[in-house]
Structures are given as structure tokens and as C-alpha cells.
Amino acid sequence: MELKEKMLASFMAFEEKIDIQSELHEVRSNAIKNFENKGFPTKKEESWKYTSLNAVLKNDFSVFPKKENTIEFKDVKKYFLHEIDTYKLVFIDGIFSSFLSATTHDGIDVCLMSSALTKPKYKMVIDSYFNQIANKEDSLTSLNTAFSLEGAYINIPKSKVVEKPIEIIYFSTGNEAALMVQPRNLVIVGENAHVQIVERHQSLNSNPVLTNSVTEIFAQKRAIVDYYKVQNDVQTANLIDNTYIAQKHESRVTVHTFSFGGNITRNNLNFYHQGERIDSTLKGITIIGDKQHVDHYTLVQHATPNCESHQNYKTILHDSSTGVFNGKIFVEKEAQKTDAFQQNNNILIGDKATINAKPQLEIFADDVKCSHGCTIGQLDETAMFYMQQRGIPKKEAKALLMYAFTSEVTNSIKIPELKAKIARIIADKLGVNMGFDL
């Protein structure tokens, strides 16, 4: 049975576990119909031109884990920001782990989507926010919506500054021969509130995993959101990450995406402006090798005047790896005084690595400042020679240049412990010890 047919059959089984009388069931039913009509995306679609899921979809993925699995903290400690105290939402094979988590309802809601989707006290919030900005025409988003049940629910009230970062971690144990999980996250940040969130998907062995994740983020007036995605999984893990962000008046949202591991990683990052004087920042670092594939697809929709967006993506490709950057800035007619910047820089190490870059500007306003730039090249041989002449071995010189190449992004990380962790991962990826404790 092909995976599409398996998903459609599994939805019938899923319906037996949920309340089909609820209003949410109509949302799920419409979503599965859209997926049935469109199926999984193919390279025939312009937005998927350089990314094929064919090899991934041949796996016989389990949709529902057969049993609840446990993990000891000591075995996964390295994946957490264990140097500092954080709120934690941890899921094992798609199931919430109360043992590893540290949730709260003390002034803020850091809890479960399953609770928010089923308990009456959350109904008003769910009706107002759930599936409101997610692309209802996107087949993979629709598939996630159809099966939406578990994930992170974060609601930060007005004027609240969350003192501790929030970690969202999804572990796959590999107890299934192949597993597909579909987490759904909903983040609501009230007026003048501030939150820092770190999200990670991590496999614990080499059995194939396909994660189809959807996150909706709502930043209200003057809210500040710093969101970090750490993607450093094993090379049999596949991640499709769909993130949708709606920003109100004077809000500031920054998303950092660090793509270091996995087989196929696809990041769809969409920003929607719903007020004036908004600031949107998208930054990313990709360092991959072997036959890994990372695809960044970004959209910033400037719909209102006096707003800014800044994109800066750095990519280092080794061996036969492939990178894709498709960044789109859309400026509507009403969005006068827009200031939008996009930069994508790529370094290819060797002759077999490939990058497909497609920066796009669609501007319908006449009083704007918009620019984009894209570079593709190799390491500066003059700089390499200069460093070697001063006694730095070639391997270390090469690593130092590549590390410096990424520093513009890493320097903007606002959580010191996360900044140190990312620095260690980069040094490890570059194959040298640059003074970090690896």
C-alpha cells in the first residue's frame, strides 16, 4: 500500500479515537479531503522543483506507535540546554513524556495541544487561532491538520516576559521499523510579551523517520518572539517543517534555523504582516555533507506600510550534498515604506556539491527599499594562503574561514548556552576542535 493510501485509511482509524461531533472534526475532514485530492508534493510543483520525496515515501511508515516508550534523561541530556533551567515539552514517538517535561500554568500556559484541542476552557482560543494562518491549500499542512492531536501549546499573556527559555523536543526511539509523526504546535504571544523558544527533532537510532510538523505563531502588538530551530538529526531522519507566523503592530519576530543533519530537510517559513512598524528576521546556517539535502523555502508577505524584514542564510555544502534556497519577498500595493533585505551566501566544498538558489522579489508598491543578493563560490584561496604562511595548518585555516563565514548568524543568538551549543556543533561539523569542549 502506498503511503498516501495508508494515510487515508489511517484517518478512518484516527476518527475512532476522537470526538467526531466536535467543530474541529469538520476542520480535520476538510483537510484530509484536500490531501486526498493533492497527495504528496512532487517535483512537478514549482515550489518543490529541486526536492523529491519519492525515496522517502517508499518506506512503510507506522502512523501510530504500537506502545508508549520511555527514555532516561541521562541518555538524552546532551540534546537539552541542561546548563540552565528551562520549561520543557518533550514528546517520545509523538507521545507526551511527563517524566522529561517541565510544563507550567503559573501565569503562562506551556502545555499540550491535546489538552487545548479537547478541554472546554481552551475552546475560545482554539476557535480564534488554530488553523487560522496555516496554508489550507498545502497538501502536507493539510495532512498534519487532519491528524492534529499532540504537540506544544504555548500561550503567553499580555505584558509577560517569560524568564526561562521554552524547549520543545521530539524524540524518535526507533522502536518502530519506520515511523511517521505529525506534531502540531500553537504559539500565542500577547501584547508586549516576550518569549524565547528552542525546537528540536531528534532520532535516537537509524530507523527511518518522517516528521511532518506544523507550527502557527501569533505575535500580538509589540510582542517579541525569538524562535530557534536546531536540526541536527541522524541521516535516516526526514523533516518537513511548516511554520506560519502572523505579526501585529510593532511586533518583532526572529527565527533562526540551524540545519546540520538529517536525510531530507524541508523548511517552509512564512511571515504575514498584519500591522505597521513590524520587524521580521529570518536567519539560517546549513552545513551538510554526504548526500544530505536541505531546502529552505521562505516567504515574507508585506501587506502593511512601514515594516521591515531581514533574511540572511549561510550554507556550506560538502561531498555530494544539495542545498536549496527559495526566498520570496512579496510587497503589496498598500505596503509603502517597506524595507526588505534578503541575502543568501553559499560555499561549495568540492566539485559534487550542488546549490539551487532562487531569490524572488514581487513588489507592487512604489515607495520601498528592497534588495536581495546571492553568492555561490568556494573558499578564498588568497586568505587560505595568507593563514598558512602564518603557521596555521591547512585544515585549521579552512575551518576558521568557514566558521567566520557563519559568525554573522551565530552572533545574533540571544541565549548564551544555545550559542555555545551551536558553536560546538559547527566546530564538530567542520571537523576541528576550535577551543570548544566537544
Side-chain angles (χ1 to χ4, degrees):
M1 182 185 296
E2 291 187 358
L3 187 56
K4 177 184 175 181
E5 282 65 38
K6 186 172 186 177
M7 298 308 300
L8 296 175
S10 297
F11 182 74
M12 298 176 65
F14 179 69
E15 285 185 303
E16 297 177 2
K17 304 177 182 180
I18 60 176
D19 179 11
I20 62 173
Q21 302 302 322
S22 69
E23 296 176 12
L24 187 59
H25 184 253
E26 183 179 355
V27 175
R28 290 189 174 113
S29 298
N30 290 335
I32 198 67
K33 288 176 184 175
N34 185 59
F35 172 74
E36 183 177 11
N37 291 334
K38 295 187 175 180
F40 288 96
T42 69
K43 296 181 74 172
K44 293 180 180 179
E45 299 177 35
E46 182 63 27
S47 60
W48 285 82
K49 183 177 180 180
Y50 301 109
T51 300
S52 173
L53 297 177
N54 290 343
V56 176
L57 300 180
K58 291 178 180 178
N59 289 289
D60 185 19
F61 290 108
S62 297
V63 180
F64 308 113
K66 296 182 178 65
K67 63 177 182 178
E68 186 171 345
N69 298 296
T70 58
I71 298 173
E72 294 294 326
F73 179 73
K74 62 181 177 62
D75 297 326
V76 293
K77 179 180 178 181
K78 63 182 179 180
Y79 301 119
F80 291 89
L81 295 177
H82 54 81
E83 305 91 344
I84 57 173
D85 190 21
T86 62
Y87 296 112
K88 299 176 182 65
L89 285 160
V90 182
F91 304 86
I92 302 174
D93 293 338
I95 300 173
F96 176 67
S97 170
S98 58
F99 175 70
L100 293 177
S101 299
T103 62
T104 182
H105 295 282
D106 184 18
I108 62 175
D109 266 331
V110 179
C111 60
L112 307 182
M113 274 299 292
S114 56
S115 296
L117 291 174
T118 56
K119 292 185 177 180
K121 72 174 184 177
Y122 294 105
K123 185 180 185 305
M124 185 178 297
V125 176
I126 293 300
D127 289 347
S128 299
Y129 294 102
F130 179 77
N131 206 43
Q132 294 303 305
I133 53 172
N135 184 354
K136 298 176 181 61
E137 298 302 314
D138 180 77
S139 63
L140 289 172
T141 299
S142 294
L143 180 61
N144 177 284
T145 300
F147 286 89
S148 56
L149 181 63
E150 196 56 284
Y153 173 83
I154 299 170
N155 192 347
I156 312 301
K158 182 178 179 179
S159 302
K160 180 69 174 181
V161 177
V162 183
E163 296 180 356
K164 301 187 293 187
I166 300 171
E167 294 186 88
I168 308 170
I169 303 185
Y170 294 93
F171 289 113
S172 299
T173 62
N175 289 340
E176 307 284 339
L179 179 66
M180 182 175 182
V181 290
Q182 302 197 79
R184 183 67 173 238
N185 305 316
L186 178 59
V187 180
I188 305 158
V189 186
E191 291 184 25
N192 301 305
H194 183 191
V195 67
Q196 297 175 318
I197 301 172
V198 181
E199 178 187 345
R200 184 164 187 162
H201 301 265
Q202 188 65 49
S203 300
L204 301 179
N205 79 359
S206 59
N207 284 356
V209 174
L210 173 58
T211 299
N212 178 34
S213 177
V214 172
T215 301
E216 292 180 286
I217 301 173
F218 295 85
Q220 306 296 356
K221 294 180 181 179
R222 295 175 297 279
I224 300 175
V225 182
D226 295 315
Y227 206 102
Y228 302 92
K229 296 175 179 290
V230 182
Q231 302 168 346
N232 190 29
D233 215 338
V234 301
Q235 292 195 28
T236 50
N238 305 279
L239 172 64
I240 300 164
D241 187 293
N242 299 282
T243 301
Y244 301 94
I245 300 168
Q247 292 186 246
K248 297 291 188 181
H249 184 76
E250 293 184 348
S251 61
R252 294 170 53 196
V253 177
T254 300
V255 177
H256 287 74
T257 305
F258 302 104
S259 302
F260 303 124
N263 175 33
I264 291 178
T265 302
R266 165 73 177 226
N267 291 299
N268 297 320
L269 184 55
N270 306 273
F271 281 74
Y272 304 106
H273 289 184
Q274 299 176 351
E276 294 192 36
R277 290 183 288 281
I278 288 170
D279 191 301
S280 304
T281 301
L282 302 74
K283 294 190 176 185
I285 296 174
T286 299
I287 304 176
I288 54 175
D290 296 324
K291 295 182 179 181
Q292 292 176 284
H293 180 99
V294 172
D295 183 344
H296 294 288
Y297 189 94
T298 68
L299 166 67
V300 180
Q301 187 171 32
H302 286 269
T304 49
N306 302 302
C307 295
E308 298 184 16
S309 67
H310 309 273
Q311 300 184 52
N312 192 357
Y313 282 78
K314 306 284 189 177
T315 301
I316 300 174
L317 303 174
H318 297 262
D319 307 319
S320 299
S321 60
T322 305
V324 181
F325 178 79
N326 191 334
K328 184 175 181 180
I329 298 172
F330 189 91
V331 184
E332 296 186 14
K333 185 177 180 179
E334 295 78 10
Q336 304 293 343
K337 304 293 184 182
T338 288
D339 185 352
F341 170 79
Q342 182 187 91
Q343 185 69 34
N344 172 228
N345 302 112
N346 307 276
I347 294 178
L348 307 183
I349 307 298
D351 299 328
K352 296 182 178 180
T354 304
I355 181 70
N356 298 285
K358 186 182 178 183
Q360 300 179 73
L361 294 176
E362 292 192 28
I363 304 171
F364 297 93
D366 53 18
D367 186 7
V368 301
K369 184 168 67 174
C370 297
S371 64
H372 64 73
C374 177
T375 63
I376 301 171
Q378 297 182 325
L379 289 175
D380 188 336
E381 293 296 332
T382 302
M384 286 281 292
F385 177 78
Y386 179 87
M387 295 172 74
Q388 288 178 263
Q389 287 296 304
R390 278 147 184 80
I392 301 175
K394 183 176 181 179
K395 181 181 179 181
E396 282 71 19
K398 185 176 178 181
L400 283 169
L401 287 175
M402 288 189 288
Y403 189 84
F405 174 73
T406 66
S407 63
E408 189 176 357
V409 175
T410 57
N411 287 341
S412 63
I413 301 174
K414 296 179 182 178
I415 305 174
E417 294 77 12
L418 178 62
K419 185 176 182 179
K421 182 182 285 289
I422 295 300
R424 290 194 294 269
I425 294 174
I426 291 174
D428 192 29
K429 286 291 177 182
L430 299 179
V432 293
N433 188 334
M434 299 173 62
F436 302 112
D437 181 13
L438 296 173

